[in-house]
Amino acid sequence: MTASLALGPTPDVPLSRINPCAQILAAVVVSVVLLATLDVVTPAVVVAAELCLLPAAGLTAPRTLLLRTWPLLVGGGTLAVVNLVLGDAGALGALGIALRVVGLALPGVLLVASTDPVRLADALTVHWRFPPRVAVGSLAALRLVPLLVTEFETVRLARRTRGVEAGRNPVARARLLGGVAFTLLVGAVRRAGRLATAMDARGFDSGVRRTNARGSVLRRRDHLFVAGSVVVAAVAVTASVLAGTWAPLFVGG
């Protein structure tokens, strides 16, 4: 499996049957709870529940899982180390911050891994009345993510072929990575300009009401999925309170 295929949606997995709007709403529910407290128990319960959904999103292969989650692991680990060294929250506080970062980002990983971008655009326009320009722009952005990964590998291999390698020097490695990132940025900006021109040429900003060919339906399982996220949030808060670790971020008075 190539990197681009590994980052695309996995077809016909259980989580793909959940409406994208229901997945987004469930992510909002758990995000509110994660942002409302600073303890370690709440994010631990939420992350545990999210990890249980990995097989339902088709994320069972270790390589695929690593390709999708390594930014979360790096970001969460970095914040944990920084807070452990420079902060005064201690090891548990640093662990709570790392778990909170993972808990906030994992729903997005699950959504991208299990949802066809076309279904996402349809759901946004049908249920939440998103303007077609925004919905189709989001669709195009999700479609281009695997392409960026492929281009990154192409540029990296091309530089290696020319003998441009950093070896074990971390400074040189960072400099080369910055060069590759700048190359990808320039290509992405040019591609975005072409896409915007193509969308304007097709009248996406004309103000004319558009119909939806495929449609999108909210079913009973979608409501149950959102209700499940509410239950997870309630269990996380209850466990935190019973453990005596509940530390609300906003305290009145």
Side-chain angles (χ1 to χ4, degrees):
M1 180 185 294
T2 63
S4 60
L5 289 176
L7 289 178
T10 304
D12 196 23
V13 293
L15 199 57
S16 67
R17 302 184 183 96
I18 302 299
N19 191 283
C21 285
Q23 293 192 47
I24 295 174
L25 187 57
V28 171
V29 171
V30 297
S31 297
V32 169
V33 173
L34 290 173
L35 294 174
T37 179
L38 298 175
D39 71 295
V40 67
V41 175
T42 302
V45 173
V46 171
V47 170
E50 292 171 350
L51 291 177
C52 293
L53 291 177
L54 290 179
L59 299 178
T60 55
R63 182 174 181 272
T64 303
L65 183 60
L66 181 61
L67 282 173
R68 291 184 181 273
T69 59
W70 71 263
L72 312 185
L73 301 177
V74 172
T78 301
L79 286 175
V81 171
V82 170
N83 281 272
L84 182 61
V85 174
L86 302 179
D88 56 357
L92 284 180
L95 178 61
I97 292 175
L99 289 174
R100 190 167 289 104
V101 171
V102 174
L104 289 170
L106 261 182
V109 174
L110 295 170
L111 176 67
V112 174
S114 62
T115 303
D116 183 2
V118 176
R119 289 189 65 229
L120 175 60
D122 290 341
L124 292 177
T125 54
V126 171
H127 300 298
W128 290 350
R129 299 295 188 269
F130 270 51
R133 186 183 183 93
V134 176
V136 177
S138 303
L139 165 62
L142 289 176
R143 289 290 194 191
L144 290 178
V145 170
L147 181 59
L148 285 176
V149 176
T150 302
E151 289 183 349
F152 176 84
E153 289 294 321
T154 301
V155 174
R156 187 180 63 84
L157 293 176
R159 293 193 172 197
R160 177 179 294 180
T161 302
R162 295 196 300 268
V164 182
E165 290 190 88
R168 297 185 177 181
N169 188 334
V171 177
R173 188 182 295 273
R175 185 167 60 249
L176 288 178
L177 181 61
V180 174
F182 181 76
T183 302
L184 293 178
L185 177 62
V186 172
V189 170
R190 290 176 176 174
R191 189 177 296 109
R194 292 194 296 268
L195 283 173
T197 302
M199 290 174 65
D200 285 339
R202 287 165 174 79
F204 279 97
D205 200 28
S206 62
V208 178
R209 181 178 177 81
R210 291 176 171 269
T211 58
N212 192 290
R214 290 165 297 272
S216 179
V217 179
L218 286 172
R219 305 183 186 277
R220 182 171 180 267
R221 59 174 175 263
D222 302 315
H223 298 286
L224 293 176
F225 186 80
V226 176
S229 69
V230 175
V231 172
V232 169
V235 169
V237 173
T238 302
S240 176
V241 172
L242 293 178
T245 61
W246 175 252
L249 185 60
F250 303 102
V251 180

